[in-house]
Amino acid sequence: MTLAELQELERTSTMPTYARQPVEFVRGEGARLWDADGNEYLDFLSGISVTSVGHCHPRVVAAVREQVGRLMHASNLFYTEPAMRLAARLSQCSLGGKVFLCNSGAEANEAAIKLVRKARPLGDVVVLHGAFHGRTYGALSATPQESKQAPFAPLVPGFRAVEPTPAAVAAAVDGHTAAVLLEPIQGETGVHVLSEELLRAARGACDEHGAALVFDEIQCGMGRTGTLWAYEQTGVRPDAITAAKALGAGLPVGALVTGERLADVLAPGDHGSTFAGGPVVAAAAITALELIDDPSLLARVRELGARLAAGLETLPHVLAVRGRGLMLACELDLPAPAVARRALLDQRIVVNATGPTTLRMLPPLTIGEADVDEALERLRAAVEG
Ligand SMILES: *Cc1c(COP(=O)(O)O)cnc(C)c1O
């Protein structure tokens, strides 16, 4: 099919929920993608922080192939080894409590919201302006963005949005607060790193009032910032984290992971999902964790992140560079959507605009120096137009 034919099918048959770029990708390998005409692209978006070990990593492909030919689905009425191994590994590499597996980021946050409400019945959930936690009703209610929420009122009650400042967070938490839910680095709204002071204020207020501190690490987790979890680079340990995106190396899987205190809040019948923790996605996720939870890879993420950030600082039209590790954004004095489009169509590098003047980069964690330098050359050309 030609691109024009795909666009016609999109127009007649799909709900117009996405503003797609006019490119059809047909193949991926490492940090490279190919379109239907055989053109090669440098992927500095990773499907929005999903293909963090690169496209079609041979070990992920082998694990999936092996599992898909053996057993694709059994249901959570029974045991399968990949789900149990994934849960154990996720707990060991983070907060040491228990894991609820699910199928997406929004679902991981839904599970977190249900858990903290059960732990403190009728409690409020405090969230921050600038947050994005997903599109399902609970997650959307935790996402204080007028344009995303307004058409879908009424939302789930009991969410309180406050400014992302230490004082505002501390003032919002009291004995009726079930949780503070936040992204240590706000991704969808433009890669804003929350300050250490804010995280400490949230931790202190939650401790004082017996509320749970939940970090949404769906975008910033899984090695993206140069440690397996973003919270490891802060002085603050949350009571639970949510993960998804890169967790399945390209397949849909999410997880809620708790520390000891919240491990046994949910009981049989409280929550569930037909597909959750299926053996194929669990096999992919175990492999993704084996690849990413590796000190030398994580050190490379920090090094290459510093190289990319330093290079971006030198580009024309770049006013500021934000982020940590390989989760970076630059603020431009030009319209970012047009730059992203030129980058894609003229320079064949995939990045995206998270706002009118913000360009975001989330390259695979497996890139090398040469990829960074090539990306900088292509981005220079794209900003220069
Ligand atoms: C992408 C994202 C989500 C939603 O994940 P989906 O898999 O799209 O439901 C939630 N929180 C953050 C921080 C995200 O980046």
Side-chain angles (χ1 to χ4, degrees), residues 104-107 109 132-134 183 188 216 218-219 244-245:
S104 70
E107 284 187 22
N109 286 332
F132 178 83
H133 296 296
E183 305 156 77
E188 289 306 294
D216 176 342
I218 289 163
Q219 189 164 148
K245 290 205 160 91

Side-chain angles (χ1 to χ4, degrees), residues 111-133:
I113 293 162
K114 284 182 71 173
L115 180 141
V116 299
R117 279 268 167 81
K118 191 177 179 211
R120 175 159 279 171
L122 305 178
D124 283 333
V125 177
V126 174
V127 296
L128 303 182
H129 285 293
F132 178 83
H133 296 296

Side-chain angles (χ1 to χ4, degrees), residues 93-181:
C93 72
S94 60
L95 301 173
K98 292 185 180 174
V99 175
F100 179 81
L101 296 174
C102 56
N103 310 289
S104 70
E107 284 187 22
N109 286 332
E110 294 293 334
I113 293 162
K114 284 182 71 173
L115 180 141
V116 299
R117 279 268 167 81
K118 191 177 179 211
R120 175 159 279 171
L122 305 178
D124 283 333
V125 177
V126 174
V127 296
L128 303 182
H129 285 293
F132 178 83
H133 296 296
R135 306 283 195 155
T136 53
Y137 259 103
L140 176 65
S141 303
T143 297
Q145 296 180 39
E146 180 68 12
S147 63
K148 291 186 170 62
Q149 290 185 336
F152 305 105
L155 299 173
V156 178
F159 289 85
R160 287 182 61 190
V162 302
E163 288 306 316
T165 65
V169 173
V173 178
D174 60 24
H176 302 289
T177 307
V180 174
L181 169 63

Side-chain angles (χ1 to χ4, degrees), residues 2-360:
T2 64
L3 182 63
E5 287 168 327
L6 296 178
Q7 287 171 322
E8 181 59 11
L9 288 183
E10 178 192 41
R11 195 183 64 74
T12 57
S13 310
T14 74
M15 295 189 194
T17 55
Y18 302 108
R20 293 178 214 274
Q21 299 292 340
V23 174
E24 180 204 0
F25 287 122
V26 296
R27 188 164 76 82
E29 190 183 317
R32 307 281 156 164
L33 282 163
W34 285 268
D35 69 17
D37 298 324
N39 297 306
E40 185 184 305
Y41 297 73
L42 182 55
D43 184 4
F44 261 46
L45 189 60
S46 310
I48 317 185
S49 202
V50 168
T51 53
S52 288
V53 295
H55 292 280
C56 299
H57 190 288
R59 279 186 50 196
V60 175
V61 171
V64 168
R65 281 208 169 116
E66 204 285 322
Q67 185 59 50
V68 86
R70 179 184 295 274
L71 180 71
M72 278 190 235
H73 178 79
S75 119
N76 287 305
L77 298 173
F78 309 101
Y79 291 92
T80 57
E81 187 176 315
M84 296 306 125
R85 282 182 48 212
L86 173 58
R89 173 126 202 177
L90 269 171
S91 170
Q92 283 154 15
C93 72
S94 60
L95 301 173
K98 292 185 180 174
V99 175
F100 179 81
L101 296 174
C102 56
N103 310 289
S104 70
E107 284 187 22
N109 286 332
E110 294 293 334
I113 293 162
K114 284 182 71 173
L115 180 141
V116 299
R117 279 268 167 81
K118 191 177 179 211
R120 175 159 279 171
L122 305 178
D124 283 333
V125 177
V126 174
V127 296
L128 303 182
H129 285 293
F132 178 83
H133 296 296
R135 306 283 195 155
T136 53
Y137 259 103
L140 176 65
S141 303
T143 297
Q145 296 180 39
E146 180 68 12
S147 63
K148 291 186 170 62
Q149 290 185 336
F152 305 105
L155 299 173
V156 178
F159 289 85
R160 287 182 61 190
V162 302
E163 288 306 316
T165 65
V169 173
V173 178
D174 60 24
H176 302 289
T177 307
V180 174
L181 169 63
L182 59 82
E183 305 156 77
I185 303 179
Q186 295 181 329
E188 289 306 294
T189 55
V191 187
H192 296 280
V193 181
L194 298 187
S195 71
E196 184 87 15
E197 297 70 54
L198 189 157
L199 300 180
R200 283 184 193 283
R203 180 71 277 172
C206 287
D207 287 343
E208 184 182 341
H209 296 286
L213 180 59
V214 182
F215 282 4
D216 176 342
E217 294 231 13
I218 289 163
Q219 189 164 148
C220 63
M222 285 299 286
R224 177 53 56 193
T225 66
T227 47
L228 186 61
W229 307 108
Y231 77 78
E232 295 171 48
Q233 288 177 66
T234 74
V236 173
R237 192 178 168 85
D239 300 304
I241 58 173
T242 52
K245 290 205 160 91
L247 180 57
L251 294 188
V253 52
L256 164 65
V257 189
T258 70
E260 289 299 334
R261 190 168 75 79
L262 298 174
D264 292 307
V265 172
L266 295 180
D270 277 345
H271 201 39
S273 161
T274 299
F275 290 121
V280 178
V281 299
I286 292 164
T287 312
L289 273 169
E290 285 169 0
L291 291 165
I292 293 176
D293 190 8
D294 166 352
S296 65
L297 178 127
L298 294 169
R300 289 280 289 159
V301 171
R302 297 191 293 272
E303 257 172 54
L304 292 166
R307 186 185 186 96
L308 178 57
L312 290 169
E313 302 264 8
T314 70
L315 296 186
H317 302 288
V318 170
L319 302 177
V321 177
R322 296 190 293 267
R324 194 166 278 164
L326 285 170
M327 181 173 185
L328 295 170
C330 41
E331 209 50 46
L332 305 176
D333 65 5
L334 293 174
V339 173
R341 201 177 162 87
R342 285 201 296 273
L344 178 73
L345 301 179
D346 302 341
Q347 303 303 323
R348 303 205 200 289
I349 174 168
V350 185
V351 293
N352 94 311
T354 59
T357 55
T358 308
L359 204 63
R360 175 176 55 175

